[in-house]
């Protein structure tokens, strides 16, 4: 039971915007937690991705969208697809406001959206400038409508 509680606490701590380290207080295990407010976190300006066996630094404004697929994260530009070691959740915290989460598997660069339409089931679909169509899940529809103003 105590082991599960520690694991749950560790999970909660690691999901925070900040950092932590284990410490000892009066012989008891504890954690020192530093929580950063959003204004203390510098947004990414460059994302470095891997293609084949080489790493490429890509300016953030060139990225059309970011995808999580089979427990791997990829970002896309008009020139190609790159893998990255960060999760969508981690990236979402560090991306500038121009990026918008539209699905549990997708974050899009709003400057790269060419249109928004509905599919045959009346679900929203975001089409990017390169022609890629991405679904908007129901849990993100209100965010998308609010940010994009429709």
């Amino acid at each position: 039971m105590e082991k599960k509680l520690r694991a749950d606490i560790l999970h909660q701590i690691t999901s925070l915007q900040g950092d932590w380290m284990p410490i000892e207080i009066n012989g008891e295990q504890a954690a020192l937690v530093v929580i950063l407010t959003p204004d203390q976190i510098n947004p990414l300006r460059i994302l470095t991705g891997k293609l084949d066996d080489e790493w490429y630094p890509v300016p953030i404004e060139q990225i059309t969208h970011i995808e999580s697929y089979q427990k791997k994260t990829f970002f896309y530009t008009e020139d190609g697809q790159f893998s990255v070691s960060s999760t969508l959740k981690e990236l979402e915290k560090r991306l500038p406001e121009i990026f918008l989460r539209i699905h549990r598997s997708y974050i899009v660069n709003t400057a790269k959206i060419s249109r928004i339409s509905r599919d045959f089931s009346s679900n929203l679909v975001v089409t990017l400038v390169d022609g890629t169509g991405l679904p908007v899940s129901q849990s993100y529809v209100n965010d998308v409508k609010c940010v994009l103003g429709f």
Side-chain angles (χ1 to χ4, degrees), residues 20-51:
W20 70 280
M21 77 176 203
I23 61 170
E24 193 173 299
I25 300 174
N26 298 329
E28 296 288 325
Q29 290 183 341
L32 175 63
V33 180
V34 177
I35 299 174
L36 302 174
T37 61
D39 60 331
Q40 294 172 306
I41 299 172
N42 293 329
L44 292 171
R45 293 184 298 169
I46 291 175
L47 193 55
T48 302
K50 187 176 183 183
L51 179 62

Side-chain angles (χ1 to χ4, degrees), residues 12-76:
Q12 292 296 321
I13 291 171
T14 57
S15 67
L16 297 172
Q17 294 248 43
D19 206 356
W20 70 280
M21 77 176 203
I23 61 170
E24 193 173 299
I25 300 174
N26 298 329
E28 296 288 325
Q29 290 183 341
L32 175 63
V33 180
V34 177
I35 299 174
L36 302 174
T37 61
D39 60 331
Q40 294 172 306
I41 299 172
N42 293 329
L44 292 171
R45 293 184 298 169
I46 291 175
L47 193 55
T48 302
K50 187 176 183 183
L51 179 62
D52 298 322
D53 287 327
E54 297 181 317
W55 293 94
Y56 296 87
V58 177
I60 210 79
E61 53 277 347
Q62 290 180 12
I63 296 171
T64 59
H65 66 289
I66 304 168
E67 174 185 29
S68 176
Y69 180 72
Q70 294 184 345
K71 298 186 179 184
K72 294 183 181 173
T73 307
F74 303 92
F75 69 85
Y76 298 81

Side-chain angles (χ1 to χ4, degrees), residues 59-66 76 97-102 107-114 126 128-129 134 148:
I60 210 79
E61 53 277 347
Q62 290 180 12
I63 296 171
T64 59
H65 66 289
I66 304 168
Y76 298 81
E97 288 182 3
I98 196 165
F99 284 85
L100 175 64
R101 186 81 177 250
I102 63 165
I107 297 174
V108 297
N109 180 341
T110 56
K112 301 290 185 176
I113 295 174
S114 66
V126 170
L128 304 176
V129 293
L134 301 173
L148 299 178

